[in-house]
Amino acid sequence: MVKVIVATGDPGSTRKWCEVMRRGLPEFEVVAWDAGAEASGARYAVVWMPPDALFRRETGLQAVFNLGAGVDHLMGLPSLPDIPVLRLEDAGMAAQMAEYVIHSLAALSRGFDAYALQQARRRWAPLPVMRHADWPVGVMGLGKLGAHVARAVSGLGYPVAGWARGPRRIEGVRAFHGAEQLQDFLGHTRVLVNLLPLTPQTTGIIDRGLLAGLLPDAVVINIARGGHVVDEDLLAALDAGRVQTAVLDVFNEEPLPSGHPYWSHPRVRITPHVAATTLETHAVEQIGERIRRLERGEPVEGVVGRDTGY
Amino acid sequence: MVKVIVATGDPGSTRKWCEVMRRGLPEFEVVAWDAGAEASGARYAVVWMPPDALFRRETGLQAVFNLGAGVDHLMGLPSLPDIPVLRLEDAGMAAQMAEYVIHSLAALSRGFDAYALQQARRRWAPLPVMRHADWPVGVMGLGKLGAHVARAVSGLGYPVAGWARGPRRIEGVRAFHGAEQLQDFLGHTRVLVNLLPLTPQTTGIIDRGLLAGLLPDAVVINIARGGHVVDEDLLAALDAGRVQTAVLDVFNEEPLPSGHPYWSHPRVRITPHVAATTLETHAVEQIGERIRRLERGEPVEGVVGRDTGY
């Protein structure tokens, strides 16, 4: 029987995933990572922010499945062997990301936040009709998640630009790529949505220079990683009015420390890293199907490139 | 030159529409309704809540274009002659309606409202992962707007039911129809989205009996007409906990009177009839194309049925 080890860095979460996988994939033997135990002899690991010790102990692993879209933590582990690292493809995350972005965007563009304040004062005052042309959206990162979000926002009538490392074609989206087209992309962007992978090249990319390139009255929505943002630069841009609102789901330190200025900033909205969570059933189905393919020696989708880090 | 008269019941709005139409449709002569003027001899009227006097004076009208989806006010005017009444098809309204519904739904289902309260207390506490199965949505009214909203919500992963007068088929939507299937539809609905036309048959349809049929912890989103709702019944259902939240864009009296209990109810969200506004450019294009077709004696889309009222 093929053995699978689950390691998430959090015992409760590891237990939960073991249960879900045993229920959904009864043909595999599923064991939980236990720091004090012997090597389990597992052929596959299903992980989310696992300890490095996992890879020192479990030396028979053939592949690692990452329970989420971001692989930055995993790729940084010194003992990660040279075996395929597989990322879940979507698993419902794209739709959740789109929902998060639409909610954040509409709260501002359609005035829904303003209407909530009006209600508190029993005030009936329709705002001037919103024109989509006044709210151009720019999506950084055009992988599966970014492309889906770009399409969803475009479908609502917003002009949408996109930026990625290399050239992309997405219907209804004006695509830019590479460092040389970044300024041009920013010049088409009032609402910046970050969905980049976190790599050495993208760390700190949302800094003073980038924010200065956005259209006036800018909005920053970060649902990728906290490490993409230089916090002091974003706070300065908010205070200078360069950025009118920041909607942040991810932070350089999580949980966000209680003394952090983001908490009380009147134009920062905080959610606790919930923009998209892996939907268990989708995830388990994908993992099962890919393990079966690997066991048959067939190619699988979602392998992370070692050179690019995504 | 074909003459078109614009009458919106509000002089500022009439002026604005005249300007937009003159710019977009230079081949027509566009005049504004003026209660004190002589008959203009217009062949077409472009209206939104026009005065009945329009139809007594302008006796040469060949067709009336309604600047919005709801024709209930217009169809009730005693002097409306027996000429085609045309409703704008969408004109960007479906996307706006979908955006409104997604924003309202996500605020509750994804906990975004709860996270705003948490932020005020510097509290980082991810809520349990939301399961779409816990938030089944039911859309009443499956015309162009309702069908679009149903599809958009279904695309985000929610189970969606729909209900209309007659049978409909929409991919991903479980469709019910007729009085005899209403209870069954309500039994599949936790989040009720109302997009019905207002007709004698649908007036007051959202009453105690209907609300009692919804799944527990129900949410009511009304973006059709205030006349669909029996206000006392909705308030009683809110107070009894039968309905957890009502999101209301339309009211029996508009503007909503400042003494109305909806204003201060902790679980009612109010917007001032802004769920969808006619996007001018789309609207003007449609009107121009249809006038040209009518002038050539060709059939046009969007004619309102006199018997059904929509």
Side-chain angles (χ1 to χ4, degrees):
Chain A
M1 202 180 223
V2 172
K3 199 177 272 187
V4 180
I5 189 163
V6 176
T8 71
D10 166 64
S13 173
T14 296
R15 256 197 313 278
K16 184 199 72 178
W17 277 101
C18 282
E19 262 171 47
V20 175
M21 290 189 53
R22 284 183 191 127
R23 209 177 325 127
L25 305 171
E27 75 267 44
F28 304 130
E29 183 181 347
V30 178
V31 297
W33 163 256
D34 172 354
E38 298 288 296
S40 74
R43 286 166 70 85
Y44 299 97
V46 173
V47 307
W48 180 244
M49 303 214 176
D52 190 58
L54 171 71
F55 300 110
R56 291 199 301 275
R57 194 179 81 187
E58 300 291 339
T59 52
L61 292 175
Q62 309 281 309
V64 182
F65 292 87
N66 192 57
L67 286 170
V71 293
D72 41 298
H73 171 88
L74 182 60
M75 301 313 261
L77 293 177
S79 307
L80 179 70
D82 188 19
I83 54 174
V85 168
L86 293 100
R87 193 183 29 218
L88 295 180
E89 297 296 330
D90 197 320
M93 297 179 81
Q96 292 179 69
M97 292 282 189
E99 189 175 41
Y100 187 104
V101 170
I102 294 169
H103 180 272
S104 309
L105 177 58
L108 301 167
S109 69
R110 297 288 304 276
F112 294 136
D113 280 358
Y115 290 130
L117 296 175
Q118 288 191 7
Q119 179 175 352
R121 293 180 293 142
R122 295 175 179 252
R123 191 170 145 71
W124 177 283
L127 298 170
V129 173
M130 167 271 206
R131 300 186 322 145
H132 286 101
D134 294 337
W135 294 88
V137 175
V139 179
M140 287 207 300
L142 295 173
K144 298 219 172 174
L145 299 179
H148 185 91
V149 168
R151 261 186 241 108
V153 173
S154 167
L156 292 173
Y158 294 86
V160 178
W163 182 79
R165 211 170 62 124
R168 294 278 189 290
R169 286 188 63 166
I170 302 169
E171 210 195 308
V173 177
R174 183 160 175 176
F176 298 88
H177 70 274
E180 67 285 5
Q181 294 184 5
L182 181 57
Q183 280 305 318
D184 208 3
F185 161 76
L186 297 172
H188 285 81
T189 299
R190 178 176 174 193
V191 180
L192 182 72
V193 177
N194 178 34
L195 272 163
L196 287 168
L198 187 66
T199 66
Q201 287 74 42
T202 65
T203 298
I205 191 172
I206 302 179
D207 63 2
R208 188 151 71 129
L210 180 143
L211 296 169
L214 293 169
L215 291 170
D217 243 340
V219 174
V220 173
I221 300 176
N222 187 18
I223 48 180
R225 282 287 182 268
H228 288 120
V229 176
V230 179
D231 291 330
E232 311 83 86
D233 290 4
L234 179 55
L235 284 162
L238 282 158
D239 290 333
R242 186 75 204 72
V243 171
Q244 61 138 285
T245 303
V247 184
L248 307 175
D249 186 54
V250 288
F251 302 90
N252 274 292
E253 190 182 342
E254 294 181 8
L256 184 65
S258 64
H260 200 284
Y262 281 151
W263 279 117
S264 56
H265 198 289
R267 286 175 292 111
V268 174
R269 286 118 211 258
I270 291 172
T271 50
H273 204 144
V274 295
T277 46
T278 306
L279 298 180
E280 296 164 5
T281 44
H282 283 253
V284 167
E285 277 166 26
Q286 272 188 44
I287 292 169
E289 199 211 310
R290 290 183 187 173
I291 289 180
R292 283 177 220 116
R293 292 185 66 92
L294 287 166
E295 287 290 308
R296 293 193 300 259
E298 293 169 12
V300 288
E301 287 194 350
V303 178
V304 176
R306 284 299 166 108
D307 50 337
T308 58
Y310 64 89
Chain B
M1 202 180 221
V2 172
K3 199 176 272 187
V4 181
I5 189 164
V6 177
T8 71
D10 166 66
S13 173
T14 296
R15 258 196 313 277
K16 184 200 71 175
W17 278 101
C18 282
E19 262 171 50
V20 175
M21 290 188 54
R22 284 182 191 126
R23 208 177 325 128
L25 305 171
E27 75 267 43
F28 304 131
E29 184 182 347
V30 178
V31 298
W33 163 257
D34 171 354
E38 298 287 295
S40 71
R43 287 167 68 85
Y44 299 97
V46 173
V47 307
W48 178 244
M49 302 215 178
D52 190 58
L54 170 72
F55 300 110
R56 292 199 301 275
R57 193 179 84 188
E58 301 292 340
T59 52
L61 292 175
Q62 308 280 308
V64 184
F65 291 86
N66 192 56
L67 286 169
V71 292
D72 40 298
H73 172 89
L74 181 60
M75 302 312 262
L77 292 178
S79 307
L80 178 70
D82 189 18
I83 55 174
V85 169
L86 293 99
R87 194 185 26 218
L88 294 180
E89 298 295 332
D90 197 321
M93 297 178 80
Q96 292 179 70
M97 292 284 190
E99 190 175 39
Y100 187 103
V101 170
I102 294 169
H103 180 272
S104 309
L105 177 58
L108 301 167
S109 70
R110 297 287 304 275
F112 294 137
D113 281 357
Y115 290 129
L117 296 175
Q118 289 192 8
Q119 179 175 353
R121 293 180 293 142
R122 297 176 180 247
R123 190 170 143 73
W124 177 282
L127 298 170
V129 173
M130 168 269 207
R131 298 186 324 147
H132 287 101
D134 293 338
W135 294 89
V137 175
V139 179
M140 288 207 300
L142 295 174
K144 297 219 173 177
L145 299 180
H148 184 91
V149 168
R151 261 185 241 107
V153 173
S154 166
L156 291 173
Y158 293 86
V160 179
W163 181 80
R165 210 169 63 124
R168 295 276 189 291
R169 284 189 64 164
I170 301 169
E171 209 195 309
V173 176
R174 184 161 174 174
F176 298 88
H177 70 275
E180 67 285 6
Q181 294 184 5
L182 181 57
Q183 280 306 316
D184 207 4
F185 162 76
L186 297 173
H188 285 82
T189 298
R190 177 176 174 192
V191 180
L192 182 73
V193 178
N194 179 34
L195 272 164
L196 287 168
L198 187 66
T199 67
Q201 287 72 42
T202 64
T203 297
I205 190 171
I206 301 180
D207 63 1
R208 189 151 70 128
L210 181 142
L211 295 169
L214 293 169
L215 291 170
D217 242 341
V219 174
V220 173
I221 301 176
N222 188 19
I223 48 180
R225 283 288 182 266
H228 288 120
V229 176
V230 179
D231 291 329
E232 312 83 86
D233 290 4
L234 178 55
L235 283 163
L238 281 159
D239 290 334
R242 186 75 203 75
V243 171
Q244 61 138 284
T245 303
V247 184
L248 306 174
D249 187 54
V250 289
F251 303 90
N252 275 293
E253 189 182 342
E254 294 181 9
L256 184 66
S258 64
H260 199 285
Y262 281 152
W263 279 116
S264 57
H265 198 290
R267 285 174 293 110
V268 173
R269 285 117 211 258
I270 291 172
T271 51
H273 204 144
V274 296
T277 48
T278 307
L279 297 180
E280 297 165 3
T281 44
H282 283 253
V284 167
E285 276 166 27
Q286 271 189 44
I287 292 168
E289 198 212 308
R290 290 184 187 174
I291 289 180
R292 284 177 219 114
R293 292 185 66 93
L294 288 165
E295 287 291 307
R296 293 193 300 259
E298 293 170 10
V300 289
E301 286 194 351
V303 177
V304 175
R306 285 299 165 111
D307 51 338
T308 57
Y310 64 89

